[in-house]
Amino acid sequence: MQTRLMQWRDMFDIAVKWRRIADPDQPVLWLDQMPARSLSRGFNNHINLIRGQIINIRYLHYFDKILNFIKDRILVYHGAYNPRGLLEVRQALESVSKVEDLLPIMKFNSKTRDGFTVNSKVPSLKDPGKEYDGFTITITGDRVGNMLFSVDSQTTEDRTQQYQSEIESLYKDLTSKGKALMMSSDLDADAVCNLVLYLVYYFCNLMPLSRGSSVVAYSVVMGALMASGKEVIGRIPKGKLLDFEAMTTSSADSFSKTAKSWMNLQSLPSWYYSLPSVGETFPTIRTMIEVLNTDSTLHCPKKS
């Protein structure tokens, strides 16, 4: 009987299946497995940050970070296409402290009068110097209260293949170092942790799922680190989001350093190794639903 080696998608698909069971009303789909006609058009992961007078407070913590990125790109744009007006634009940007303040600046150039888009880039680790398309920021409108500030990740076949090639390379390195870690205590477990977080960095920027990419990614991080002998003690800071942290961070290494500062990793206690198998403990859909709906507060008391 032949067995197939586990691939990166298999690892993530375990979390995807649990996510589907946790909330069956919200389908979680791999976007590259959608019908060909949908893929050919490109599938948008669309998030409204500000729409009219509605502000999406879930992402509020990242508004300043995105704003600074936009300001940098505006200066680059005017430096290339409007060099005579660059000084005026630079002076105007100095007084910009919120996204709404960009609306008057849009009128400095006829091509941006009705709005503009800004694209982020994600650097490759596999091929230094190469960059992948990240997300697209769009701002349109003519006044406060009549404005759209949104973020899109476009799922096209070419973009998906580029990211999957990066993820496959990291997963190959991860399995190699993971095996070495199991056979020798001399190997630095931090190297394995970095590879896990690098892999998740590209997964979050790819946004390969119809929903739930962030929780799936973080579940994989915790599981992979447990497999390497580490336990996540810390919590994600209030207002922070794993997927947006990856999307708004300029490199995989910077993202890894930030995420590790949240996690407060410690070695697994000895009793972890005597825990029963998840598959044997929750063998049916019913038992999975029951454990997902269990009140865990009695089993996880808050630390004083």
Side-chain angles (χ1 to χ4, degrees):
M1 180 178 176
Q2 291 185 342
T3 57
R4 184 175 66 87
L5 291 176
M6 187 175 185
Q7 301 300 318
W8 72 267
R9 191 189 288 256
D10 300 317
M11 181 171 68
F12 281 92
D13 209 35
I14 294 170
V16 167
K17 290 174 181 176
W18 278 91
R19 175 64 177 79
R20 288 172 179 157
I21 293 169
D23 194 350
D25 288 341
Q26 297 182 348
V28 181
L29 308 173
W30 288 94
L31 296 179
D32 65 345
Q33 294 180 352
M34 292 181 70
R37 63 181 181 275
S38 299
L39 287 177
S40 62
R41 297 187 191 120
F43 185 93
N44 256 8
N45 266 305
H46 179 81
I47 301 171
N48 285 331
L49 302 179
I50 299 177
R51 184 172 184 174
Q53 296 181 346
I54 300 173
I55 297 175
N56 193 336
I57 60 173
R58 183 184 181 194
Y59 303 96
L60 195 60
H61 184 89
Y62 292 93
F63 279 25
D64 286 344
K65 197 171 184 179
I66 296 175
L67 176 60
N68 289 330
F69 173 73
I70 294 171
K71 289 163 71 173
D72 288 341
R73 301 314 301 167
I74 288 175
L75 289 173
V76 170
Y77 174 83
H78 280 275
Y81 298 102
N82 182 29
R84 292 183 179 179
L86 181 59
L87 180 60
E88 188 179 5
V89 172
R90 189 186 300 275
Q91 290 173 341
L93 284 174
E94 289 177 358
S95 62
V96 170
S97 59
K98 55 184 183 296
V99 178
E100 293 89 334
D101 296 339
L102 290 171
L103 295 176
I105 297 173
M106 287 160 54
K107 305 186 187 335
F108 275 77
N109 188 288
S110 59
K111 292 184 178 181
T112 61
R113 184 170 294 135
D114 299 321
F116 62 86
T117 60
V118 179
N119 299 310
S120 70
K121 295 294 182 180
V122 177
S124 168
L125 281 173
K126 182 170 69 75
D127 301 309
K130 186 176 181 179
E131 292 182 323
Y132 307 128
D133 290 334
F135 60 91
T136 300
I137 304 163
T138 302
I139 298 179
T140 59
D142 54 4
R143 65 184 185 278
V144 175
N146 183 34
M147 170 185 172
L148 177 64
F149 173 38
S150 62
V151 169
D152 292 272
S153 293
Q154 186 80 2
T155 303
T156 61
E157 189 173 355
D158 287 345
R159 182 177 181 274
T160 298
Q161 288 177 353
Q162 289 173 344
Y163 274 92
Q164 288 187 356
S165 175
E166 189 82 29
I167 293 171
E168 285 168 3
S169 175
L170 286 166
Y171 183 78
K172 184 177 180 180
D173 201 7
L174 175 62
T175 53
S176 174
K177 282 190 169 57
K179 289 176 183 176
L181 181 64
M182 292 177 65
M183 298 174 65
S184 172
S185 58
D186 294 333
L187 183 67
D188 185 7
D190 194 53
V192 174
C193 178
N194 283 336
L195 283 170
V196 171
L197 291 170
Y198 293 166
L199 194 151
V200 164
Y201 172 77
Y202 290 102
F203 179 88
C204 289
N205 275 285
L206 172 59
M207 295 286 280
L209 303 175
S210 57
R211 64 172 68 247
S213 293
S214 185
V215 69
V216 165
Y218 198 65
S219 298
V220 167
V221 168
M222 296 183 74
L225 291 176
M226 285 175 65
S228 71
K230 294 293 183 180
E231 179 184 19
V232 176
I233 300 296
R235 295 185 179 183
I236 298 176
K238 187 176 180 180
K240 295 279 191 176
L241 299 165
L242 186 74
D243 55 348
F244 249 60
E245 196 67 34
M247 291 166 64
T248 58
T249 300
S250 59
S251 70
D253 189 55
S254 296
F255 169 73
S256 176
K257 290 175 181 176
T258 299
K260 281 191 293 186
S261 71
W262 301 347
M263 291 178 178
N264 187 19
L265 293 175
Q266 295 184 10
S267 297
L268 285 176
S270 58
W271 56 264
Y272 261 69
Y273 298 96
S274 61
L275 289 173
S277 162
V278 172
E280 293 174 0
T281 308
F282 310 110
T284 65
I285 296 293
R286 180 188 179 93
T287 54
M288 293 178 186
I289 293 173
E290 286 174 346
V291 73
L292 287 169
N293 286 277
T294 298
D295 183 1
S296 61
T297 54
L298 297 176
H299 307 284
C300 303
K302 293 182 180 179
K303 294 181 179 180
S304 58

